[in-house]
Amino acid sequence: MNTHSSADRLRRLRWTLTALFTVMNTLGLVVFAWLLISEDGDQGEDRIDAELSKVTASVSRLVAFDGTIDLGLVNTDVLNDRCPQFAILPGGAPAFQPHLSRATCAPMSTQLLNGLATEAVRGGKLVQGYQKATDGAVVKVRAEPLRDSDGKAFAAVVAVQPTGAEDDAHTRFTLLVIGGTVLLVAVLGFAGHLLSGRSIRPAAAALQQQEVLLAETAHDLRTPVAALRALAETAMANPAQSAELLPRTVRLAARMGGIIDDLLVRARLAAGVEQLSIQPIWLDQLVVGVVEDTATEGAEVTVTAAPTKVDGDPALLQRAIGNLLDNAVRYGRQPGAKAFVHLTVAGGTVTVADHGPGIDTTMAGDAFDRFASTGGSSGLGLSIVRWVAQSHGGTLAVYNADEGGAIFELRFPVSTS
């Protein structure tokens, strides 16, 4: 597997997730911002309409008509000095002296106001919309017909309100919403990057486990495969030695099978798919059985065991203890000397001691993921021992004995049943 390609794929996946998260949230924020801006604009228009309506309604109640128009009450009302400004015009009805309020909120053409009043009187209905003042400013107008007791329009009141203040307030609100949206998009983009990193963490961990597994496979199988090939080539070149080489070939193939089994167990443990079959186990009896079934390759193996019961998976415990014993038999000896291995079982602890060169103290605290023993193995078997210990709530420790050799302590909680 190409590590760089895998890392690149994970990076691309992370950025893709970040982009999707950001785009989805951005679309939601844009829609929400548009709704806020649209609602603010509608509210501003409603406020202008309410002011215009209040003026035209108030003026309508102040105008008296009994054949002739009486504007006495209008002339003295405070509405004359406030915005919106207004005008009372005949609009094509019998002429009278128009009334213009004293407030000038926007300079308006008299001709334009007359036209609005005429439209309201002739149509007998409300006329409103946007117009331009003589200085070019946009204003909103409302022309409402005044009716006599028979319902006939005899004049119209035209109210005018500039929209500049509301437009400026709406512009400020729009800029504020846009700025807030941009800031939120940035924050959400950053949050999306963090969340995407967290979401792909299991995939990254699985990929790392896969890469480690492949590296361990290549490392552990390279030597026995080369030796197996050498034995096969020797047997082909020298048929007379086949009887001597065949047992070595079988032992080597068995060793490769054990390595493959360890790799599969390690992979299942790392993936969390190995299901433990927990049951009470007499640890002393299990250790004795493992020793009896293990090929010691000429090593001298002794056992001192006291009855001790633990709760565990028998198959995994056998593999863990078998791996410790195999490690001690292979590497726990001085060069050219016979291996001496002693196992002690008591209080839920299995101790495996050898008389080899010991271990590198700088590696004694390692997590056994890539443990390198003195014999040069990758430590895959020890890695599995550590996994088995942890999955049972136990520990694996290693240190050097004062008199020489390495000591491994595999400790499990004692069963209370």
Side-chain angles (χ1 to χ4, degrees), residues 178-260:
I178 292 175
T181 301
V182 172
L183 179 61
L184 282 176
V185 168
V187 171
L188 288 174
F190 179 72
H193 189 64
L194 294 179
L195 290 174
S196 63
R198 179 173 298 181
S199 65
I200 68 171
R201 193 173 300 164
L207 183 60
Q208 183 180 12
Q209 288 288 346
Q210 184 181 15
E211 291 173 348
V212 170
L213 181 63
L214 291 175
E216 290 175 344
T217 302
H219 185 281
D220 279 88
L221 291 180
R222 184 181 294 114
T223 299
V225 166
L228 189 63
R229 179 178 179 179
L231 287 173
E233 290 175 348
T234 302
M236 290 177 63
N238 303 278
Q241 299 182 13
S242 298
E244 177 187 351
L245 297 175
L246 185 58
R248 294 172 57 187
T249 303
V250 171
R251 289 196 298 270
L252 194 56
R255 180 185 170 193
M256 292 176 61
I259 292 174
I260 293 173

Side-chain angles (χ1 to χ4, degrees), residues 3-77:
T3 304
H4 296 292
S5 297
S6 300
D8 290 341
R9 285 197 296 270
L10 286 175
R11 279 194 294 270
R12 288 196 296 269
L13 175 60
R14 183 176 185 180
W15 282 111
T16 300
L17 292 175
T18 301
L20 288 175
F21 181 86
T22 303
V23 168
M24 291 176 62
N25 284 281
T26 299
L27 290 176
L29 285 174
V30 168
V31 172
F32 183 66
W34 178 81
L35 291 174
L36 285 178
I37 294 172
S38 178
E39 179 64 21
D40 183 74
D42 292 341
Q43 289 180 359
E45 187 172 355
D46 290 342
R47 284 191 292 270
I48 294 176
D49 288 339
E51 290 294 325
L52 293 173
S53 177
K54 181 171 66 174
V55 168
T56 56
S58 299
V59 171
S60 297
R61 290 191 294 268
L62 294 175
V63 175
F65 181 78
D66 187 13
T68 60
I69 296 177
D70 182 2
L71 301 178
L73 295 177
V74 177
N75 293 330
T76 60
D77 195 86

Side-chain angles (χ1 to χ4, degrees), residues 152-194:
K152 182 179 179 181
F154 62 87
V157 54
V158 183
V160 179
Q161 174 75 323
T163 63
E166 286 291 345
D167 291 342
D168 291 342
H170 182 61
T171 300
R172 290 192 298 270
F173 181 79
T174 300
L175 293 176
L176 179 63
V177 170
I178 292 175
T181 301
V182 172
L183 179 61
L184 282 176
V185 168
V187 171
L188 288 174
F190 179 72
H193 189 64
L194 294 179

